[in-house]
Amino acid sequence: MTIHDNNIRGVIFDLDGTLVSSELDFSLIKAQVGCPLDNDLLAYIASLPSPYMREEAMNIVHQHELIDAQHAHLLPGVAEAITRLKENNIPMAIVTRNYDRAAAIKLKNNPLPIETVLTRSDAPAKPDPSALNAIATLWELDQSELLYVGDYLFDIQAAHNANMRACLYAPDEIPEYANQADYVMHHFSELPTLVDSFQENKVLC
């Protein structure tokens, strides 16, 4: 009896735009800190030449994130999907580029049965795979057995950098980078079915 290579034994989620809503205006934030529109905001701030400049820029980002956190709400189908996965004993975690205080507010106001939450305060931000790899180690599972669910290119890249499968959550328009994901999900109700499909045949005789 062998275990099928493709089974999904754990699911990791992005937070903003995946589990909860986010109204962050990145164009405005980038303008306020002087970051070119095409640059990654966090990478730009990290490249600023002095600690003072980096701190001032990050304070601006924090203010936006904290305001956004107060208004966040669970996205459609999330609570039901998470409940289904928990009932099926699928371990779950969250890895977000948000910072710890903002993420904590969002999850306090929108409680989910997910205990493991890593933010950019805990590990390098996505697409760096460090946080995803840490969770695989915590769960004592191989990365190939884990699925990462997110709504942006960095989520796909982080998953693949960690040798995990990437599920893109795209409820509205399908972005041009969707073809880089292993799966594309339009509604959260599809997630338990996707995970279940790998459980049914995971034990082969």
Side-chain angles (χ1 to χ4, degrees):
M1 191 165 64
T2 58
I3 300 298
H4 196 288
D5 288 340
N6 288 333
N7 61 326
I8 294 173
R9 299 181 61 193
V11 180
I12 308 172
F13 297 95
D14 172 44
L15 182 61
D16 291 359
T18 301
L19 298 178
V20 301
S21 64
S22 176
E23 303 298 330
L24 286 172
D25 184 341
F26 285 101
S27 297
L28 174 61
I29 299 171
K30 287 180 178 182
Q32 290 180 346
V33 302
C35 174
L37 269 179
D38 292 338
N39 288 29
D40 173 43
L41 179 63
L42 297 181
Y44 171 79
I45 292 174
S47 74
L48 291 173
S50 77
Y52 174 78
M53 293 173 70
R54 293 192 291 273
E55 182 179 356
E56 287 296 296
M58 196 55 77
N59 284 340
I60 292 171
V61 176
H62 286 168
Q63 289 169 16
H64 282 275
E65 288 178 313
L66 289 172
I67 292 169
D68 181 59
Q70 301 292 342
H71 306 290
H73 57 83
L74 287 179
L75 293 174
V78 167
E80 295 83 356
I82 298 295
T83 298
R84 279 271 307 278
L85 293 178
K86 186 171 178 61
E87 288 170 350
N88 291 337
N89 297 314
I90 300 294
M92 293 175 284
I94 293 170
V95 169
T96 174
R97 279 169 62 96
N98 216 319
Y99 94 115
D100 52 2
R101 282 184 60 197
I105 291 169
K106 291 188 173 189
L107 292 169
K108 180 181 179 183
N109 294 341
N110 302 281
L112 290 168
I114 300 177
E115 296 180 3
T116 303
V117 180
L118 296 183
T119 71
R120 68 168 186 265
S121 309
D122 303 304
K126 299 172 293 185
D128 187 292
S130 299
L132 299 183
N133 288 330
I135 290 170
T137 301
L138 174 68
W139 290 345
E140 298 182 343
L141 292 173
D142 190 88
Q143 280 91 332
S144 66
E145 298 175 310
L146 302 183
L147 178 71
Y148 186 58
V149 181
D151 68 318
Y152 187 58
L153 175 62
F154 288 159
D155 301 314
I156 299 171
Q157 293 172 335
H160 290 163
N161 288 341
N163 295 315
M164 297 179 186
R165 277 167 284 176
C167 178
L168 177 69
Y169 174 53
D172 301 314
E173 295 181 9
I174 305 296
E176 60 183 20
Y177 51 79
N179 61 356
Q180 298 180 42
D182 299 285
Y183 316 102
V184 177
M185 179 174 71
H186 304 288
H187 191 277
F188 251 84
S189 60
E190 301 168 39
L191 182 61
T193 304
L194 172 64
V195 175
D196 286 348
S197 70
F198 288 97
Q199 310 310 307
E200 292 166 4
N201 300 312
K202 70 181 179 182
V203 178
L204 302 179
C205 296

